[in-house]
Amino acid sequence: MNKTTQASAGLDTALTPLRFLERAAAVHPGKLAVIDGGRRLTYGELAVDVVTLASALRASGVEPGDRVAFLGTNSAELLAAHFAVPLAGGVLVAVNTRLAAEEVRYICDHSGAVLLIGDGLLLAPVAGVGFATVREVIEVPSQDGEYEGPALRYDELMARGDAAARFEWTVDDENAVISINYTSGTTGKPKGVMYTHRGAYLASLGNALTQGFTIDTRYLWTLPMFHCNGWCGPWGVTAMAATHVCLRAVRGEDMWRLIDTENINRMSGAPTVLTTLATAPEAHPMTTPMAIATAGAPPSPTIIKAIRHLGIEIIHVYGLTETYGPYSVCEPDPSWADLPGEELSVLMARQGVGMVTAERLRVVRPELVDGELVDVAADGVEMGEIVMCGNVVMKGYFEAPEQTAEAFAGGWFHSGDLGVMHPDGYVQLLDRAKDVVISGGENISTIEVEQAVVSHPAVLDVAVIGVPDEKWGERPKAYVQIAETATITPDEIIAHVKTRIASYKAPREVEFVDALPKTSTGKIRKNELRDAAWGDTRTRIQG
């Protein structure tokens, strides 16, 4: 290395989202940072809380690289933990709030968490759990400042800290792990997805650009902060010195109340959040600009149209836990501006192209050729697996080198999602590999069927799975939630679907349900529906 190169290298600083709060507090110390119930914190106050918590973690024995678990709903405390844990040198493990006690124990033990912080009501079920590595359990206050149980109180933890403690808002290695996020584990034990400081920094900026965050953004936390670290939102919203508005439970009434009283102009969530918003009695057209980023499942053109009818812009993104949340966006092309609403909604339902901080999306064939992945034809017809690579793809699975190597076969991360590449370079997701229905040798996309079902005005939500069939091996069945005032029969829904897609793809059975089983992020638990349908005789054609 010559002297010029050495000098240039010496000027480099590690990429870390810690820098975002340091900057916001220095440049905009009086700017409103957090609204959590009746509490309001400026960026200067948030930075003080973060420093105090970081020093308290150090005083509690948290060493560099130690994992700190957080089992909590969206709150000022969980937001602060996204900065304080890595500032103290630790690794944040934000835990899904809907998990059973044994699942929480598994994640804490597998990650080797030394502390568990959480909401009192969520900690109560794990009170008798014997953790292998957790030394202390700390309870954060409820939204109105009350404590529920006998665990160490959060204010007692904070009393160990020093608001004047000195920390460097940087890291020695930008490829060090900043957080571990566990997958849902619906097909086995959950895997710990490792995010790095560099990846979190770039993913945060990518989302800030894609969702149009500015200093005037007022972001409603409808997306759980534990899910992919809230799509890196705790860092990305802070990067713009925007305002975080915490919401601990997603209900239509509460969303609209905060939208109206706190002047919300940005939020994120799965399509089920959009449905809750659009069908709430309080729903009304917006009088000021607002945008919602949606992902988690392909939104139907129907719900996209309903949200746009309220004067809300839809930003359709796509990704996985392994890609820091959103990886791609269905970025509208200027040529779409004059398209009819129905046609535009169909285009916007696609998963799109890689975001500005991501690499391109690829759709590849199953077999490697000379060790290389081969792309499908860009014809919108040939189906393949969606793969990704680059800075905003995980470092790997924690303590699972074999699973990591399998996931990166051919040098790209394999999503397990099946889709097509359109001639314009935009990817469209057709199904999860495990969800495709193979009926009489024909591949049927459950997403395509679901979108045909939900296009009926009486349908609120739907899930389609393959169920046993003596002649065809399996066939599509639809579980449908209809509006309370609707009067419709299963046969009428089937007939409607046949006007939208080929008859052989239509469900031969429709079952009305009061609600569909869902994860805390709004994804439908199709595995539960399949297990009930197949029982002990479950031997699906695709395995």
Side-chain angles (χ1 to χ4, degrees):
M1 180 183 291
N2 60 41
K3 290 183 178 180
T4 302
T5 305
Q6 287 179 324
S8 299
L11 296 175
D12 291 343
T13 55
L15 300 183
T16 171
L18 293 176
R19 167 64 177 151
F20 300 149
L21 180 55
E22 180 192 33
R23 182 183 185 279
V27 179
H28 306 288
K31 172 70 167 52
L32 181 61
V34 188
I35 298 173
D36 186 1
R39 292 187 293 167
R40 278 164 163 72
L41 298 173
T42 66
Y43 269 105
E45 292 167 335
L46 177 60
V48 169
D49 281 358
V50 165
V51 167
T52 305
L53 177 55
S55 61
L57 294 174
R58 287 272 184 90
S60 302
V62 174
E63 301 286 343
D66 280 352
R67 274 73 66 196
V68 176
F70 203 118
L71 179 64
T73 51
N74 296 340
S75 65
E77 287 78 17
L78 182 48
L79 173 63
H82 275 80
F83 293 93
V85 173
L87 188 63
V91 176
L92 179 64
V93 182
V95 183
N96 188 325
T97 58
R98 288 194 180 180
L99 296 181
E102 181 59 25
E103 294 170 307
V104 174
R105 182 204 61 77
Y106 173 82
I107 288 174
C108 288
D109 289 354
H110 185 268
S111 66
V114 297
L115 298 180
L116 172 60
I117 306 172
D119 297 0
L121 291 176
L122 298 174
L123 292 175
V126 301
V129 171
F131 293 105
T133 57
V134 171
R135 299 192 298 260
E136 281 189 300
V137 178
I138 299 102
E139 179 188 341
V140 300
S142 62
Q143 195 169 41
D144 53 12
E146 296 178 354
Y147 289 88
E148 305 285 345
L152 181 75
R153 289 162 50 125
Y154 187 79
D155 55 7
E156 294 173 317
L157 171 68
M158 292 289 277
R160 299 174 183 172
D162 179 3
R166 298 285 296 177
F167 286 94
E168 295 294 329
W169 295 77
T170 187
V171 290
D172 294 331
D173 180 8
E174 64 183 22
N175 291 311
V177 177
I178 190 173
S179 67
I180 301 176
N181 292 288
Y182 279 79
T183 59
S184 60
T186 56
T187 57
K189 291 290 186 183
K191 300 184 288 290
V193 177
M194 295 185 288
Y195 290 2
T196 67
H197 283 258
R198 176 185 176 84
Y201 179 97
L202 293 169
S204 300
L205 293 183
N207 278 291
L209 287 168
T210 297
Q211 297 185 50
F213 297 160
T214 71
I215 195 169
D216 296 319
T217 291
R218 296 175 73 88
Y219 184 86
L220 181 61
W221 273 104
T222 47
L223 182 74
M225 288 187 194
F226 67 72
H227 178 55
C228 308
N229 295 118
W231 296 354
C232 296
W235 302 309
V237 174
T238 299
M240 300 295 108
T243 300
H244 302 263
V245 182
C246 298
L247 180 63
R248 303 199 180 202
V250 175
R251 300 183 181 93
E253 178 184 1
D254 292 335
M255 284 192 287
W256 280 108
R257 173 178 55 81
L258 290 170
I259 287 170
D260 292 336
T261 61
E262 299 297 350
N263 301 313
I264 300 301
N265 52 26
R266 291 292 186 277
M267 55 186 281
S268 305
T272 185
V273 175
L274 305 186
T275 300
T276 301
L277 191 73
T279 58
E282 299 78 10
H284 59 77
M286 296 296 297
T287 57
T288 56
M290 180 175 171
I292 302 177
T294 189
S300 70
T302 303
I303 192 59
I304 291 175
K305 186 178 179 180
I307 291 294
R308 293 181 67 248
H309 185 69
L310 295 173
I312 300 173
E313 177 188 357
I314 285 288
I315 302 170
H316 181 199
V317 294
Y318 162 75
L320 303 94
T321 301
E322 289 88 344
T323 61
Y324 296 74
Y327 181 97
S328 71
V329 58
C330 191
E331 192 168 305
D333 187 270
S335 64
W336 302 355
D338 297 325
L339 291 176
E342 188 85 17
E343 190 174 343
L344 178 61
S345 295
V346 171
L347 288 177
M348 289 301 297
R350 300 184 299 174
Q351 282 57 48
V353 295
M355 286 164 46
V356 68
T357 52
E359 302 299 321
R360 66 189 179 97
L361 277 178
R362 292 178 67 189
V363 183
V364 300
R365 293 170 178 162
E367 300 84 12
L368 297 178
V369 176
D370 296 327
E372 299 290 332
L373 296 169
V374 178
D375 292 272
V376 301
D379 57 5
V381 176
E382 185 182 358
M383 189 186 300
E385 185 178 13
I386 299 172
V387 297
M388 305 94 145
C389 73
N391 290 304
V392 292
V393 175
M394 68 170 179
K395 185 173 185 176
Y397 295 119
F398 183 67
E399 301 281 332
E402 291 183 1
Q403 288 178 306
T404 299
E406 181 182 357
F408 283 97
W412 288 64
F413 170 70
H414 290 251
S415 68
D417 288 333
L418 302 179
V420 295
M421 178 68 74
H422 284 277
D424 60 2
Y426 282 59
V427 168
Q428 180 180 359
L429 174 64
L430 294 183
D431 227 327
R432 291 289 293 171
K434 63 179 180 290
D435 290 341
V436 170
V437 178
I438 304 177
S439 185
E442 294 283 356
N443 288 351
I444 299 175
S445 163
T446 61
I447 292 173
E448 182 183 14
V449 181
E450 287 163 356
Q451 293 187 348
V453 173
V454 82
S455 67
H456 194 288
V459 175
L460 292 179
D461 209 351
V462 61
V464 173
I465 64 167
V467 297
D469 185 279
E470 290 186 4
K471 180 177 181 181
W472 304 108
E474 61 179 348
R475 54 182 168 77
K477 176 180 177 178
Y479 296 82
V480 176
Q481 180 184 355
I482 61 173
E484 292 183 6
T485 57
T487 55
I488 191 171
T489 67
D491 286 344
E492 287 175 308
I493 289 179
I494 294 171
H496 170 77
V497 170
K498 288 181 178 179
T499 67
R500 295 291 183 122
I501 59 176
S503 294
Y504 78 88
K505 299 179 181 179
R508 298 173 203 174
E509 182 182 357
V510 170
E511 179 178 331
F512 290 147
V513 296
D514 293 331
L516 294 166
K518 293 180 179 178
T519 68
S520 55
T521 57
K523 292 182 181 179
I524 296 172
R525 292 186 176 275
K526 288 190 177 182
N527 58 305
E528 292 186 12
L529 298 174
R530 280 194 295 264
D531 289 345
W534 290 79
D536 296 334
T537 62
R538 181 172 168 74
T539 308
R540 301 189 66 208
I541 294 173
Q542 63 265 51

